[in-house]
Amino acid sequence: MPIQHAIWQVGQQPTLLTTAKLASEQQLEDMIVREPAILSSQWMLIGRQEVTSHGGRIDLLAIAPDGSLVLIELKRDRTPSEIVAQALDYASWVAELTADRIVQIYDRFSQGGSLGAAFQKRFGVALDEETLNHAHQIIIVAAELDPSTERIVAYLNARDIAINVVFFQVFQHGGQQLLSRAWLIDPGETQANVAAATGPAGEKEPWNGEFYVSYGGNPARVWEEARQHGFISAGGGTWYSQTLKLLSPGDRVWVKVPKTGYVGVGRVMEAVQAAKDFTLPTNDGVRAALDVLQHGAEWRALADDPEKSECFVRVQWLQTVPESQAFNEVGLFGNQNSVCQPTTPKWRHTVERLKAAFPKWAG
């Protein structure tokens, strides 16, 4: 069913706001460039109106914290079927972009800026050339799509083609225009498809049922506390926290501390919970996690912000080691997504090695 937007002004008698239109889709594109959070607060724009080798021109190109690319296409005056077909065609060009070509695209977009420096400043980590453009997703921007096109997009996404639609609708409120946003598919599902595709092009196999977890990336995330109290967490942005929703009770997780190595394996006990709702058993009884953890005050300051709040998943550890004894060797899988379901053969090899390194993995 097509996505429908409606906004009411709150009052004793709620008033439905009337819909309006922007002067042009160019205005929307300009707004996104000036404030990328209109689309996502977790992406950094790196290109605009870039001419492809196929003769087309992509509207916008962005990069995510894990180095994957985001192709953004506005519907403009194209039919729904045309925009999907054209986006897929452009994606085939994006998939072949090498690191040097991406650097050149950003140089043109930023008028001489350094992609590496901008990435470091934006995400707080160095850009790894090996993972740059390891995968990509397609985002279609539209006011509406017909039911057939929505079914096509949902079909592709369900079959691990990372494509999504973000709908914008303009409403008139007095002398102001308000912009609303809605996603066709939960962005976390699309992100999960991107993460699963990590690995060389063409190397893909059925997911083995084992979840990868990246725990760290913030000094306030202390592995010894997670190990002691039985949890994993992520936050600081929805890009990091939303993949925790992939986990369900009974799932097995293999945890890696970035730039250190694998430190544990466990089973998920409960679905994801917000920081302000998460509790921990202590010698003094069950207490709020924010009152127990070393950096609880930092998490509390963000607890009411749904974009940045830390989120927790309770885990029963099967076997863990301190960071000083982390297992690491050449050829093991790594990814900056907090949780993912890798479909690359490298993940199967990694799990085989981890089962040898953590012999109590089966509990």
Side-chain angles (χ1 to χ4, degrees):
M1 179 180 294
I3 298 292
Q4 296 181 343
H5 297 238
I7 297 179
W8 279 263
Q9 181 176 346
V10 176
Q12 185 174 1
Q13 178 61 48
T15 304
L16 179 64
L17 301 188
T18 58
T19 58
K21 289 187 177 181
L22 294 174
S24 67
E25 285 191 315
Q26 182 66 47
Q27 183 180 359
L28 177 58
E29 182 179 321
D30 292 341
M31 290 170 60
I32 292 171
V33 171
R34 288 193 296 269
E35 182 49 80
I38 291 175
L39 274 181
S40 171
S41 60
Q42 308 304 312
W43 300 336
M44 183 180 85
L45 289 179
I46 63 170
R48 181 184 190 186
Q49 294 300 316
E50 190 69 26
V51 177
T52 74
S53 58
H54 303 170
R57 188 185 295 270
I58 66 172
D59 290 328
L60 296 167
L61 188 65
I63 190 169
D66 63 345
S68 61
L69 298 185
V70 185
L71 169 66
I72 302 160
E73 280 296 298
L74 278 69
K75 182 175 175 291
R76 300 191 186 278
D77 56 355
R78 291 166 285 189
T79 67
S81 59
E82 286 176 339
I83 184 62
V84 172
Q86 194 163 60
L88 290 171
D89 184 35
Y90 290 169
S92 69
W93 174 78
V94 169
E96 301 301 321
L97 289 177
T98 56
D100 61 313
R101 293 176 67 189
I102 296 170
V103 167
Q104 292 169 7
I105 289 172
Y106 183 74
D107 178 76
R108 287 190 288 270
F109 174 72
S110 63
Q111 298 182 340
S114 165
L115 177 60
F119 188 92
Q120 175 79 48
K121 181 178 180 180
R122 175 65 179 80
F123 299 118
V125 295
L127 178 59
D128 185 352
E129 185 173 333
E130 291 188 7
T131 59
L132 178 57
N133 198 22
H134 64 267
H136 62 273
Q137 61 179 297
I138 303 167
I139 303 297
I140 296 173
V141 177
E144 60 182 4
L145 291 181
D146 63 274
S148 173
T149 305
E150 290 188 15
R151 289 195 299 270
I152 291 171
V153 171
Y155 174 87
L156 292 172
N157 193 73
R159 281 149 186 83
D160 301 332
I161 302 298
I163 182 171
N164 207 341
V165 180
V166 58
F167 297 95
F168 286 104
Q169 182 65 64
V170 179
F171 293 87
Q172 194 70 38
H173 180 55
Q176 294 182 319
Q177 287 190 324
L178 307 178
L179 187 69
S180 73
R181 181 189 72 187
W183 291 91
L184 177 62
I185 301 167
D186 184 340
E189 293 184 29
T190 313
Q191 182 182 335
N193 285 342
V194 176
T198 300
E203 289 193 8
K204 191 173 182 179
E205 62 185 28
W207 175 51
N208 60 9
E210 308 280 348
F211 284 89
Y212 166 87
V213 170
S214 175
Y215 183 82
N218 186 316
R221 243 169 253 126
V222 182
W223 167 241
E224 282 306 310
E225 286 191 316
R227 184 185 180 203
Q228 174 188 349
H229 294 292
F231 68 82
I232 56 174
S233 69
T238 53
W239 189 90
Y240 298 99
S241 59
Q242 65 188 357
T243 54
L244 292 175
K245 293 186 292 185
L246 295 173
L247 298 174
S248 300
D251 290 336
R252 186 161 52 222
V253 294
W254 299 89
V255 182
K256 181 180 182 182
V257 173
K259 299 182 180 180
T260 301
Y262 284 88
V263 291
V265 55
R267 286 200 180 278
V268 173
M269 302 298 292
E270 299 172 353
V272 61
Q273 298 178 53
K276 59 185 178 182
D277 300 322
F278 193 65
T279 60
L280 295 174
T282 71
N283 293 333
D284 299 323
V286 176
R287 298 178 59 193
L290 298 181
D291 293 333
V292 175
L293 300 179
Q294 178 182 346
H295 296 276
E298 295 179 38
W299 302 141
R300 189 181 299 281
L302 301 172
D304 293 323
D305 185 339
E307 287 283 326
K308 298 181 180 180
S309 173
E310 192 79 358
C311 296
F312 290 77
V313 172
R314 199 177 308 279
V315 176
Q316 176 190 11
W317 295 119
L318 303 174
Q319 186 175 355
T320 63
V321 297
E323 284 190 48
S324 60
Q325 299 175 26
F327 177 70
N328 198 18
E329 64 183 20
V330 175
L332 297 183
F333 179 88
N335 190 280
Q336 290 187 37
N337 282 269
S338 300
V339 176
C340 65
Q341 304 163 284
T343 56
T344 170
K346 191 174 186 177
W347 178 235
R348 172 170 44 83
H349 162 76
T350 297
V351 171
E352 290 171 356
R353 297 292 297 134
L354 291 176
K355 287 180 176 179
F358 295 88
K360 299 178 183 178
W361 60 271

